[in-house]
Amino acid sequence: MPRTKSQIALKLAVTADDVKNYSDVNHAKVKLQGKEVGIYEQRGAAVMKAQKLSSATSAVKAISDHARDIWSGTLEGEFVSMGVISDSNSYGTPDDLLYSFPAVINKTWKFVEALPINDFSREKMDLTAKELAEEKETAFEFLSSA
């Protein structure tokens, strides 16, 4: 989600450090609505184009950011979005998926439990979970046929 944080900051002409708790646009201290959501949804392609990064470089950056967050932890009262296993989450996401959740970190991660989710975010979350489940199934089918 560092790309999301950067996109929010760019759109609102603030620094990325001014954007807090950005795991979901509705929980960011700076919120997006309406047409700006398209920027959020297309953030990956836009950032890669602007920074002239490949998708592989972008993935490496995300891994690096995760490692930094795990090493440094989160500040009191803040959380980050982290791709973690979805087992036993309070958001209704199916278990056994690698999914991005709000998390607090102190050398290990812990879900931020039960943030309120509005209908718009629920729809996007469910769509993401469906896509991830389909990708997982495709990967398992590929591996079993190899």
Side-chain angles (χ1 to χ4, degrees):
M1 291 299 242
R3 294 184 299 194
T4 304
K5 187 176 182 177
S6 296
Q7 284 294 309
I8 292 169
L10 284 171
K11 180 67 178 171
L12 299 173
V14 298
T15 69
D17 290 336
D18 292 329
V19 181
K20 305 291 183 202
N21 297 344
Y22 58 93
S23 67
D24 174 284
V25 293
N26 293 298
H27 294 100
K29 293 206 177 161
V30 181
K31 295 183 181 182
L32 297 178
Q33 293 182 6
K35 66 181 178 180
E36 287 99 358
V37 171
I39 293 168
Y40 172 76
E41 291 173 337
Q42 301 300 318
R43 70 195 181 280
V47 170
M48 285 187 291
K49 181 179 177 182
Q51 295 179 348
K52 297 179 177 35
L53 295 176
S54 68
S55 59
T57 304
S58 182
V60 169
K61 173 76 168 98
I63 291 166
S64 172
D65 290 342
H66 269 46
R68 180 204 60 227
D69 290 339
I70 290 169
W71 182 259
S72 300
T74 51
L75 297 174
E76 184 68 32
E78 293 187 14
F79 56 85
V80 295
S81 182
M82 177 142 307
V84 297
I85 192 71
S86 60
D87 296 357
S88 301
N89 72 86
S90 64
Y91 295 97
T93 302
D95 285 351
D96 206 27
L97 294 175
L98 286 176
Y99 193 95
S100 184
F101 289 99
V104 292
I105 305 165
N106 184 8
K107 303 298 181 204
T108 187
W109 64 270
K110 180 181 171 189
F111 289 118
V112 174
E113 297 292 341
L115 290 173
I117 305 297
N118 67 19
D119 291 342
F120 174 81
S121 292
R122 171 57 48 205
E123 179 183 333
K124 298 298 182 187
M125 291 170 67
D126 290 347
L127 178 62
T128 298
K130 180 178 183 271
E131 290 171 353
L132 289 171
E134 289 169 356
E135 290 173 6
K136 177 181 152 187
E137 182 179 329
T138 299
F140 282 145
E141 287 172 3
F142 175 78
L143 291 172
S144 67
S145 69

